[in-house]
Structures are given as structure tokens and as C-alpha cells.
Amino acid sequence: MTDQERTQIFQLQKKGLGYKRIAAQLNLPVNGVKSFCRRHPVNKDTALSDAVGCLQCGTPLTQQPHRKAKKFCSDKCRMAWWNTHQDQVNRKAYYQHICPACGKLFESYGKEHRVYCSRACYAQARRKEVSQNG
């Protein structure tokens, strides 16, 4: 393998191409490309941390290898960003229920087994159960 092929492998690996595609583009055996890449890993994490910052405040982030890429530096920034970008939230878990205490139709998000529409209706239903049993 020539020095030129090695530099091309590095460049293609940084772009995110796999062993098969690199081998096909450079007309090299797949196992040769695979063994070279394993012996000479490209440090993608440092490139990501330099280029990517917190979406809210722009603070540079250090990415952990073999982990999901961070988008925010803290929970405070994460919540602030999502609160200002409500249009980008993809909410699918809406459920409709009928409250047994007041009979009102209500919608809950993320709680399929919710029974009462409010804390007051729950308390009212509990008082009725106690007075009937007592």
C-alpha cells in the first residue's frame, strides 16, 4: 500500500465511508483496508468536539468515544433550547380519556393509563369511596 493510498483511506474514513466503499473507490482488497483502519484509527471524536458546540450557548463539547453525540452542555441549556423550539418537538403520545369523577373528556400526553382529569377530581372520587365504605 502506497503513502498516497494511506492518506486517501484516512480522508475517506473521516468522511464516514465504510471499509467496502473505501476499498471499491481505491481498488484495494476489503480486508487490507479493514486491517489498516484498525491499526491506524482516525480520531473522529476530537474533530466532532472542535466543530460542534452546545446548541443553546455554543460552549464547545467534548464527545465520549462509543457514546451518543452530545448536543447540550447541561440540562439547563437542553431545557431552555427545547422550550424556545416547541415547533420542533415531535409529540405522538396523545391519549383521550373520560374522567369518571366529572365526566369531562380530556387529553393526556404520555400517560396512556391516566384516569382522572385533575387532582381535584381524584380527591373527590377518593372522598366518595371513603364515605361509601365508612
Side-chain angles (χ1 to χ4, degrees), residues 45-64 68-74 77:
D45 299 327
T46 56
L48 278 175
S49 65
D50 294 340
V52 178
C54 176
L55 292 178
Q56 179 66 18
C57 66
T59 303
L61 299 173
T62 55
Q63 303 293 340
Q64 298 294 323
K68 184 178 175 183
K70 289 183 182 181
K71 295 181 183 179
F72 305 99
C73 62
S74 66
C77 281

Side-chain angles (χ1 to χ4, degrees), residues 26-96:
L26 301 178
N27 294 325
L28 294 171
V30 177
N31 288 334
V33 171
K34 186 185 292 187
S35 64
F36 177 79
C37 290
R38 287 187 180 169
R39 288 185 193 130
H40 306 90
V42 173
N43 194 353
K44 295 177 186 175
D45 299 327
T46 56
L48 278 175
S49 65
D50 294 340
V52 178
C54 176
L55 292 178
Q56 179 66 18
C57 66
T59 303
L61 299 173
T62 55
Q63 303 293 340
Q64 298 294 323
H66 309 291
R67 299 258 182 195
K68 184 178 175 183
K70 289 183 182 181
K71 295 181 183 179
F72 305 99
C73 62
S74 66
D75 285 339
K76 183 180 176 183
C77 281
R78 178 181 53 82
M79 290 189 297
W81 192 87
W82 281 112
N83 285 334
T84 57
H85 296 84
Q86 290 285 326
D87 57 323
Q88 295 181 16
V89 177
N90 187 12
R91 294 192 172 141
K92 297 178 182 176
Y94 283 105
Y95 301 100
Q96 289 191 344

Side-chain angles (χ1 to χ4, degrees), residues 92-105:
K92 297 178 182 176
Y94 283 105
Y95 301 100
Q96 289 191 344
H97 309 281
I98 297 176
C99 179
C102 66
K104 183 174 81 172
L105 179 70

Side-chain angles (χ1 to χ4, degrees), residues 8 12-14 31 48 52 80 85 105 111 124 126 130:
Q8 287 177 334
L12 294 172
Q13 197 177 11
K14 282 184 182 179
N31 288 334
L48 278 175
V52 178
H85 296 84
L105 179 70
K111 305 254 185 203
Q124 178 185 355
R126 293 280 297 185
V130 170

